[in-house]
Amino acid sequence: MRVTLLGTGDTTGTPTVGCDCETCLAARERGIERTRFSVHVQNERTGESLLVDFSPDFRHQFLTQDVPLPDEALVTHIHFDHLDGLGNVYRLLDDLAVHAADEVDPVTGESVADAIRSKFSYLDRISVEDQTPFESFRACGLDVTFVPVVHPPLVCYGVAIEDPVTGAKLSLSGDSTYAIPEESRDVLRNPDLLLAEAIVPASVCEYHPIGGDDYDENGVARTFGTKHMTREGAIALGEELNADETRLVHVAHYYPADEAFEEPLAVDGEVYEL
């Protein structure tokens, strides 16, 4: 299983358009990007490729990274930075199976799968495949499981992807607070690689109107506001899940410049062989 991090940024990416903060300036000087979130998973046994989420930066990512177009795809939730890039497959692919959860969101009255059907009804080359959370399904020769996480007000899912032959396992936290349910954690547990959302360091919580949450024994916030994990929360999640390696993704430009490119914060283009 070959994992390529196509996009490791949050909804505005780094550098952020029109921003001259020290972190964005440093990113420009170093030639580093964190485009909107997307992950490419290649099954080297079968030659097939699975895409996790459709970044609005889809075109740029596939032009700059040495990866093939996907054979199948997953969508974790309907926020634009994870979904709107799906429109880019127009004229690029003859057919594409897009897997998404079938659980009805009480806020929207439709599932993620139904929302994709509605929004992209004009894309006759995609087929949306309904999947039930916690029930494993096969995509590109890999076993995939959606698990509910905590990203209010909408439903959102983490993902476990495992090679049934080699046992290699990739887990993604999805956009979530630290308060991921235990049943979901059990599915995500023991990955070779965990991609954990870490939008900001815990120190930034003081600037959020709500502050932080899910404090550890030292009073450090593992949740930023009500929707995302802090760096410290993501690292703690990796430890709790017994991940062999944890990379922090969905990173915002609010990290101080002297911390923004330090380990284990990921940047676009990282490749992992599991």
Side-chain angles (χ1 to χ4, degrees):
M1 189 190 300
R2 180 182 174 90
V3 179
T4 303
L5 309 189
L6 298 181
T8 55
D10 71 334
T11 189
T12 65
T14 303
T16 295
V17 173
C19 182
D20 60 358
C21 74
E22 291 185 2
T23 298
C24 287
L25 290 174
R28 292 186 183 97
E29 290 170 358
R30 299 185 187 197
I32 291 174
E33 277 196 286
R34 289 189 174 117
T35 58
R36 275 72 69 87
F37 182 80
S38 187
V39 177
H40 187 276
V41 182
Q42 189 166 7
N43 183 343
E44 295 174 300
R45 291 187 297 101
T46 66
E48 297 171 290
S49 296
L50 180 66
L51 185 67
V52 182
D53 284 342
F54 289 91
S55 167
D57 300 303
F58 181 103
R59 179 179 181 277
H60 174 70
Q61 291 169 349
F62 278 88
L63 286 174
T64 56
Q65 304 299 330
D66 185 20
V67 294
L69 287 166
D71 297 287
E72 299 185 62
L74 317 174
V75 174
T76 61
H77 65 298
I78 63 171
H79 279 156
F80 96 99
D81 54 325
H82 295 258
L83 175 59
D84 280 24
L86 178 55
N88 286 272
V89 306
Y90 184 66
R91 293 181 179 169
L92 295 183
L93 299 169
D94 291 330
D95 62 89
L96 180 70
V98 179
H99 302 273
D102 62 2
E103 178 183 18
V104 175
D105 190 327
V107 173
T108 66
E110 60 184 0
S111 67
V112 174
D114 286 337
I116 297 169
R117 288 190 187 94
S118 175
K119 184 178 180 68
F120 294 98
S121 59
Y122 63 91
L123 285 179
D124 56 4
R125 297 184 182 185
I126 70 166
S127 59
V128 182
E129 306 292 334
D130 294 76
Q131 304 296 344
T132 301
F134 296 115
E135 293 185 7
S136 180
F137 60 93
R138 188 65 56 87
C140 294
L142 303 169
D143 291 333
V144 180
T145 310
F146 285 115
V147 295
V149 293
V150 182
H151 190 54
L154 301 178
V155 294
C156 183
Y157 303 89
V159 185
I161 302 172
E162 190 164 2
D163 189 319
V165 174
T166 68
K169 183 175 181 179
L170 167 68
S171 292
L172 301 93
S173 71
D175 281 15
S176 181
T177 72
Y178 181 74
I180 295 172
E182 194 61 32
E183 186 178 4
S184 297
R185 289 176 183 242
D186 287 343
V187 175
L188 299 174
R189 207 174 302 280
N190 299 315
D192 297 291
L193 176 64
L194 171 67
L195 301 178
E197 191 224 331
I199 196 164
V200 294
S203 59
V204 177
C205 289
E206 65 178 294
Y207 302 108
H208 193 289
I210 298 175
D213 202 354
D214 297 314
Y215 294 93
D216 67 14
E217 63 275 8
N218 297 314
V220 177
R222 293 176 290 195
T223 288
F224 175 67
T226 62
K227 298 170 67 172
H228 298 279
M229 262 188 291
T230 63
R231 171 183 58 196
E232 290 77 4
I235 291 171
L237 180 68
E239 293 172 351
E240 197 276 324
L241 295 182
N242 193 35
D244 285 351
E245 184 168 8
T246 300
R247 301 299 290 169
L248 308 189
V249 296
H250 206 269
V251 174
H253 69 129
Y254 298 115
Y255 277 84
D258 60 351
E259 301 176 26
F261 309 105
E262 298 298 315
E263 296 293 326
L265 297 174
V267 296
D268 291 9
E270 294 182 8
V271 179
Y272 296 90
E273 299 280 355
L274 308 187

